[in-house]
Amino acid sequence: MAEKKKKPYEIGELDQYLFGQGNHYEIYEKLGAHLVQNGKQKGVYFAVWAPHAQAVSVVGEFNEWDTEANPMKREEPLGIYTCFIPGVKKNQMYKYCIETYSGEQIFKADPYANYAELRPGTASRVTDIENIKWTDTEWMTRRKTWNHKHEPMSIYEVHIGSWMRHPGREDEGFYTYREFARAITKYIKEMGYTHVELMGIAEHPFDGSWGYQVTGYYAPTSRYGSPEDFAWMINYLHRNKIGIILDWVPAHFPKDAHGLADFDGTPTYEYADPRLGEHPDWGTKVFDFGKNEVRNFLISNALFWVEKFHIDGLRVDAVASMLYLDYGRKDGEWVANKYGENKNLEAIDFFRHLNSVVLGRNPGALMIAEESTAWPQVTGDVEEGGLGFSLKWNMGWMHDFTEYMKLDPYFRKDNHHLMTFAMSYAYSENYILVLSHDEVVHLKCSMLNKMPGLGFDKYANLKAGYAFMMGHAGKKLLFMGQEFAQLREWSEERELDWFLLAEPEHQQMKMWVKDLLHLYKRHKAMYEMDQSWEGFEWINADDGYRSIYSFMRHSKGAKKNLLFVCNFTPMARDDYRVGVPRKKQYKLILNSDEEKYGGTGADRKKIYKAEKKECDGRPYSFAYKLPPYGVAVFEF
């Protein structure tokens, strides 16, 4: 007998075939809960993948949470359960009651839900994201031709719940998505960042996980409002020419009873073998990248954020933990691949598929890897054996930079290489230099309190460090609060210490970072050739005795170039001579000794003429009075 003709919203044979192959890129339009018109009846069509369930029913506010009121029909061959329930309305809560093969009843949130009950509640909510009004056409059109390789990217990493809060309220005082949009836009425009990267957007039960243990991959967290509010925020940022990157967590998921773990009473989304399917370090489950339906869940989720919610890029968390089978595991706790190696071949294949599809369908979008090892070609082309990411966090640079900056200046001369080593591999990948949330938690201290010395020395050290970071090759990322020298470590439980801006030192730091960011955006030499040796040139990388670094940044055609000089000791160099390539005029455009940055405010010339006097292996040079921890940037 021929199959009864399916309605457009129902799961059909083609849907099942594509999902079973791992290639149904809009599977979120079929699975989950969707408001539909069924003949003359309005209601919701529910569909959930639970291959080893004995039976599934929908329970919710609309049926008094009765497990027998709305049984679902099993669709073969994949074990997708479906049903239409008339009269169900937007915002009503629901769960799936799954009867396992052992006869136990378990209650699960919808893996494909677009909205969830506010924690500590764990139910999903019916919603409708099909009729969101988008007003960012100009941005989305321009994105198609935008190329990160030749454009400025300075990213402000933010956790919405602790960036700023309403004081004195009985609830937690969170800003809503809409309130945050207005406030962060004003701040980002003032400071000069190009992008905001948001932590903890996908729904998660525990605030202390910062959003890295996800239970609702398709739902913007309800902590700050509805999906419509979330979309309003994106529209607002895009209309103000600010890009949005989301943290995305395909590496692992928590064991919470309502989440993905043992979804149908068996390991459904995770590897069945605990040596593959459990993260001993994190107490979480690992996705089974060998299952087509699981890979499909994740790939269509990445596309969902980029295409459905206009997100400009995904920063993929914990990539190394996915690539290595022995990551965080002792001998005997992991299983080698078929070649006897520690590479997860299924995860490698997943990344290549993921990046090819997301970037192939969405020119101008970004896939960013947080990958902490020397894995080759993370940003290399898939066709040439690479993983296909757009950019990679430079964790090696971050580690060397923070180790150097923590040193007493007396010992820096013996560790001079820590600041130059990253340039030896700077073009092996497309890098972002990062000082992220990970560097200012778990007793690692805030950026300011990593610095040696007291008072002036601490602030001056950090200013020199930030200038070096801005001048170095690679895109930039700074975690919130570090731009005004937050004293305490970050905590998700409170807002940033904005009260510090009443103190001159913190105002001066904020002004310094702001001027660095605007300098970065204004000068093509700072970003235009970030992927090429032609964009960066050392003047003197070996002045270890004085702990001074000098280098040039070049623009295409060398129309406007910049010269950086950074002093990492408290010693003034009253006649510091720097070698230069041409007998030109060098204009001082940034000087850390200005009063507004906490310097002495001493009068200085703006123009320096190079003379024919050999220095640093260059035929010409000029002298400049370099103050303690002084930074000078010249244009020529």
Side-chain angles (χ1 to χ4, degrees), residues 222-235:
S222 54
R223 285 166 177 81
Y224 319 120
S226 68
E228 290 90 341
D229 297 328
F230 179 67
W232 192 94
M233 174 185 74
I234 294 160
N235 271 326

Side-chain angles (χ1 to χ4, degrees), residues 26-316:
E26 291 88 28
I27 189 63
Y28 55 81
E29 291 180 351
K30 293 297 178 89
L31 292 176
H34 300 277
L35 286 157
V36 297
Q37 182 94 27
N38 183 14
K40 291 184 179 177
Q41 290 183 310
K42 283 184 177 174
V44 170
Y45 179 74
F46 293 92
V48 64
W49 177 59
H52 298 108
Q54 198 153 249
V56 184
S57 63
V58 186
V59 297
E61 293 182 293
F62 40 83
N63 64 13
E64 308 292 321
W65 303 91
D66 180 354
T67 58
E68 294 176 11
N70 296 108
M72 302 179 82
K73 178 185 163 219
R74 185 179 173 99
E75 309 271 356
E76 297 297 357
L78 296 183
I80 292 172
Y81 285 81
T82 66
C83 73
F84 171 76
I85 308 177
V88 177
K89 293 185 170 56
K90 190 176 173 180
N91 286 332
Q92 286 191 308
M93 292 191 289
Y94 71 98
K95 278 189 178 181
Y96 296 114
C97 171
I98 295 171
E99 188 184 328
T100 69
Y101 259 97
S102 65
E104 184 190 358
Q105 282 190 336
I106 54 177
F107 295 86
K108 293 285 187 179
D110 187 345
Y112 288 86
N114 301 136
Y115 196 20
E117 181 185 8
L118 180 63
R119 53 99 178 95
T122 56
S124 301
R125 282 188 187 276
V126 173
T127 192
D128 179 16
I129 60 167
E130 295 308 313
N131 298 308
I132 286 169
K133 287 190 169 59
W134 290 101
T135 55
D136 61 349
T137 312
E138 188 187 334
W139 174 274
M140 295 301 286
T141 303
R142 198 169 62 241
R143 186 171 92 179
K144 290 175 187 167
T145 56
W146 187 81
N147 185 340
H148 67 277
K149 290 184 180 178
H150 312 301
E151 297 288 345
M153 269 190 81
S154 51
I155 303 164
Y156 189 48
E157 188 191 22
V158 178
H159 178 264
I160 293 180
S162 57
W163 181 68
M164 204 175 270
R165 291 190 182 184
H166 296 291
R169 288 213 322 217
E170 282 184 20
D171 64 5
E172 290 141 314
F174 289 150
Y175 274 33
T176 65
Y177 288 120
R178 292 175 191 243
E179 289 168 334
F180 174 76
R182 292 187 186 98
I184 199 73
T185 294
K186 189 178 171 192
Y187 192 71
I188 279 180
K189 282 183 156 181
E190 177 203 345
M191 291 300 291
Y193 294 98
T194 63
H195 290 70
V196 62
E197 179 174 314
L198 300 177
M199 294 167 63
I201 290 301
E203 194 57 84
H204 52 286
F206 176 49
D207 290 13
S209 79
W210 311 332
Y212 291 110
Q213 297 203 5
V214 177
T215 47
Y217 275 82
Y218 286 83
T221 178
S222 54
R223 285 166 177 81
Y224 319 120
S226 68
E228 290 90 341
D229 297 328
F230 179 67
W232 192 94
M233 174 185 74
I234 294 160
N235 271 326
Y236 191 86
L237 286 162
H238 279 172
R239 288 203 313 276
N240 282 283
K241 299 182 169 51
I242 298 165
I244 307 158
I245 298 162
L246 290 193
D247 264 2
W248 189 61
V249 193
H252 63 128
F253 55 90
K255 296 178 181 176
D256 293 66
H258 69 287
L260 297 177
D262 291 315
F263 186 77
D264 62 9
T266 69
T268 311
Y269 286 87
E270 65 269 42
Y271 286 107
D273 186 334
R275 293 173 299 168
L276 292 166
E278 299 254 353
H279 260 310
D281 285 356
W282 301 330
T284 52
K285 297 282 192 180
V286 182
F287 282 105
D288 183 345
F289 303 108
K291 275 188 193 155
N292 287 342
E293 297 90 345
V294 173
R295 290 152 62 104
N296 202 145
F297 172 80
L298 290 168
I299 291 170
S300 65
N301 183 242
L303 289 166
F304 168 82
W305 293 112
V306 173
E307 296 177 357
K308 207 79 178 164
F309 273 114
H310 297 196
I311 294 301
D312 301 300
L314 299 175
R315 174 267 193 188
V316 183

